[in-house]
Amino acid sequence: MLERGVLLAFGLPLMIASLLVTADVFVRSVQKISVSRPFKYFIIGILTFTHLYFILSFSMNSVGFICYQYTTAFIASHFFYGDRGKILILITPCMVVFYLWFVGFSDVGKAFYLPLFGVGIFVLDFLLSKVKLIRPQQQFYMMYFLTCLLSPRFSMLVHHTTTYDWEAMLAVFVGSFVLLGSFMWLHRLIEGQEYQVLAELANSKIDALTGCFNYGTYNQDLLQAVSQKKTVTIAMIDLDHFKKVNDRYGHIAGNELLRTFASRTTTFLEAHFAETYSFYRYGGEEFCLVIEGDVKERTVAAMTTLCQTISSSMFPVANFEKGTMSLSCGVEASTVCHGDILAAVERADQALYLAKQSGRNRVCTLPET
C-alpha cells in the first residue's frame, strides 16, 4: 500500500511531468519549422496521443487504475493553446476508450461513462468561464485538481484491477501538486533560457542565420565612419531572383543557400582584401561590403570574380542546378562623393539597380560626375 502511495504521489507525477516538458520542447521546435499548419497539427496530434498512451499504460500497469489522464488537456490548454486546447478535454476520453480497446478490453458498453465525464468537465469549465465568478488562473487550478481526483473514480466504472480508496485519493491529490509544480518549474526554466537567447540575439551584432554582421551593426558602423570622416568603398550585393529560388527549393533550403553564400563570400573576401572590411547582411537576400580606403577598381574586379564563382558553383541543397544562384552588385567609393559616405552608399545602391536592369549577374558602377 505504501509503495503504491509513493508511486501515485511522486513516481508517476514526475514521470508525466518529464514527458510534458519533452512535449513542450518538441512542440516549440515544430512550431518554428517552415511546414504547413495541417502538418504541424498532425505531428502535435501524434505526440499528444503517444503521450496519453504512456500515461494510461503507466497508471494502469503500475497502480491498477487510470489516473492523471487529463493533465495533458489542462496543461496544454493553459500553457500552450489557450481556449482552443480545451478541445483536448473532449478528445481525451475518446482516446482512453481507444486505448482500452487496443489492450483487449471487451465490455465496450461501459465505455460511455468516460465521454460522459469528459463532456461534464468541458461544460463545467465553459460555464465557469462565462459567469466569471473566479479568475481564470483560479479556475484552472480548481478544474485541474478536481479532475485529477474524480477522473480515476469514473474510469473505475469502466475498467480497473484494484481499488481507488481514500488513501489512493490522497496520494493522487499530492501527486497532482507534484506533477503541476514540477512541470511549471521546468517550463519556466526553458522559457527563461529562450528569453535569454532572444535577448542575446537582440543585443548581438551578428545575424543569426548567416553569421555576417547584422543591419543594426551596419547602421552603427556607418555612422561611426561618417563621424570619423573615413574613406571607404561600398559594395551593395543582391542575390538574383531569390524569391524564385525559395519557391523552387523551399524556405528551409533557401536559408541553407543564404548561409552557404555568406560563408563562401567571407572566405573569398579574406583571400582578396588585405584592407580592413566588414561584411553585413543588409536584409533578406541583400548584403553590403564596406572596405576601408579607396579600392574601387579592385573591388569591382573582385566582385566580378565573385559573380562568376557563385553562378558556376554547386550548393548543398537537394536537386540544386548549377547557375541557379547569381548575384548583382553596385560599387562606389566615398572619394567620388567628396568624402560623403552616405552619398556613396546611395550611388552604390543605384549602381546595384543598374546591374539588375542590365541583366543581373554582373557588377556595375555609375559614371563619375
Side-chain angles (χ1 to χ4, degrees):
M1 184 65 71
L2 179 62
E3 182 180 349
R4 187 182 71 165
V6 171
L7 194 60
L8 277 169
F10 298 101
L12 278 173
L14 291 173
M15 193 177 299
I16 295 169
S18 66
L19 284 172
L20 281 168
V21 171
T22 305
D24 180 16
V25 174
F26 182 79
V27 168
R28 288 170 188 263
S29 300
V30 168
Q31 289 174 338
K32 290 175 184 176
I33 62 177
S34 300
V35 294
S36 65
R37 184 174 295 179
F39 182 73
K40 288 183 181 180
Y41 287 157
F42 172 75
I43 294 295
I44 292 171
I46 292 295
L47 178 70
T48 303
F49 177 81
T50 305
H51 185 95
L52 183 58
Y53 180 85
F54 276 112
I55 292 177
L56 296 171
S57 299
F58 287 152
S59 58
M60 180 59 73
N61 295 329
S62 301
V63 298
F65 55 83
I66 297 171
C67 58
Y68 299 122
Q69 71 267 37
Y70 282 94
T71 53
T72 300
F74 278 101
I75 288 176
S77 65
H78 186 72
F79 289 95
F80 307 145
Y81 308 127
D83 289 339
R84 289 180 302 171
K86 292 183 179 179
I87 193 68
L88 289 173
I89 297 173
L90 295 175
I91 294 174
T92 295
C94 300
M95 296 173 75
V96 175
V97 172
F98 177 82
Y99 165 79
L100 292 174
W101 171 80
F102 186 75
V103 297
F105 177 65
S106 57
D107 194 357
V108 183
K110 292 182 178 180
F112 79 95
Y113 288 113
L114 297 175
L116 184 66
F117 181 70
V119 170
I121 296 171
F122 183 86
V123 171
L124 178 59
D125 188 65
F126 176 79
L127 292 175
L128 288 173
S129 299
K130 289 299 181 182
V131 297
K132 298 179 180 178
L133 292 175
I134 55 178
R135 296 177 180 177
Q137 187 82 355
Q138 295 171 332
Q139 180 179 327
F140 162 71
Y141 288 127
M142 186 189 78
M143 293 298 301
Y144 169 81
F145 290 118
L146 183 66
T147 304
C148 281
L149 287 175
L150 295 182
S151 57
R153 181 67 67 186
F154 268 80
S155 298
M156 293 189 80
L157 296 173
V158 181
H159 183 57
H160 64 93
T161 59
T162 187
T163 58
Y164 181 56
D165 51 28
W166 69 269
E167 291 180 349
M169 184 177 289
L170 179 61
V172 168
F173 184 66
V174 173
S176 60
F177 277 96
V178 172
L179 194 162
L180 184 60
S182 302
F183 171 78
M184 288 177 65
W185 178 72
L186 291 169
H187 176 71
R188 287 171 181 170
L189 191 65
I190 293 168
E191 279 195 328
Q193 290 292 330
E194 283 201 348
Y195 288 145
Q196 183 178 349
V197 170
L198 290 173
E200 288 174 356
L201 284 176
N203 296 324
S204 173
K205 293 186 175 184
I206 304 299
D207 175 64
L209 177 64
T210 62
C212 302
F213 289 118
N214 58 28
Y215 182 73
T217 308
Y218 163 81
N219 278 330
Q220 293 174 4
D221 291 352
L222 203 64
L223 291 174
Q224 185 177 25
V226 169
S227 66
Q228 295 176 357
K229 298 181 180 179
K230 290 183 177 180
T231 298
V232 297
T233 300
I234 308 289
M236 302 297 290
I237 303 167
D238 186 78
L239 299 180
D240 298 327
H241 299 300
F242 197 74
K243 184 181 183 303
K244 292 182 180 179
V245 175
N246 265 335
D247 292 342
R248 183 175 182 180
Y249 297 103
H251 288 279
I252 295 176
N255 286 342
E256 184 58 36
L257 287 169
L258 285 173
R259 275 193 291 267
T260 307
F261 166 76
S263 174
R264 291 182 181 179
T265 302
T266 300
T267 302
F268 177 89
L269 295 174
E270 289 173 354
H272 284 77
F273 290 99
E275 294 83 2
T276 301
Y277 66 86
S278 296
F279 187 44
Y280 306 89
R281 186 183 181 194
Y282 195 77
E285 67 272 17
E286 298 177 9
F287 296 82
C288 180
L289 173 64
V290 179
I291 312 162
E292 289 193 10
D294 184 355
V295 288
K296 182 176 177 179
E297 290 185 7
R298 278 202 296 116
T299 301
V300 170
M303 291 299 102
T304 301
T305 302
L306 181 63
C307 278
Q308 297 167 353
T309 301
I310 294 300
S311 63
S312 61
S313 293
M314 289 297 295
F315 285 82
V317 168
N319 302 317
F320 183 86
E321 296 180 6
K322 188 182 291 187
T324 300
M325 279 274 285
S326 66
L327 64 90
S328 298
C329 179
V331 178
E332 191 56 277
S334 60
T335 50
V336 175
C337 306
H338 309 289
D340 189 338
I341 294 177
L342 297 181
V345 171
E346 180 65 26
R347 282 176 60 86
D349 201 42
Q350 291 173 5
L352 170 61
Y353 183 69
L354 177 62
K356 293 283 189 183
Q357 282 187 318
S358 303
R360 295 180 168 82
N361 192 24
R362 65 194 63 211
V363 181
C364 286
T365 60
L366 298 180
E368 296 184 15
T369 56

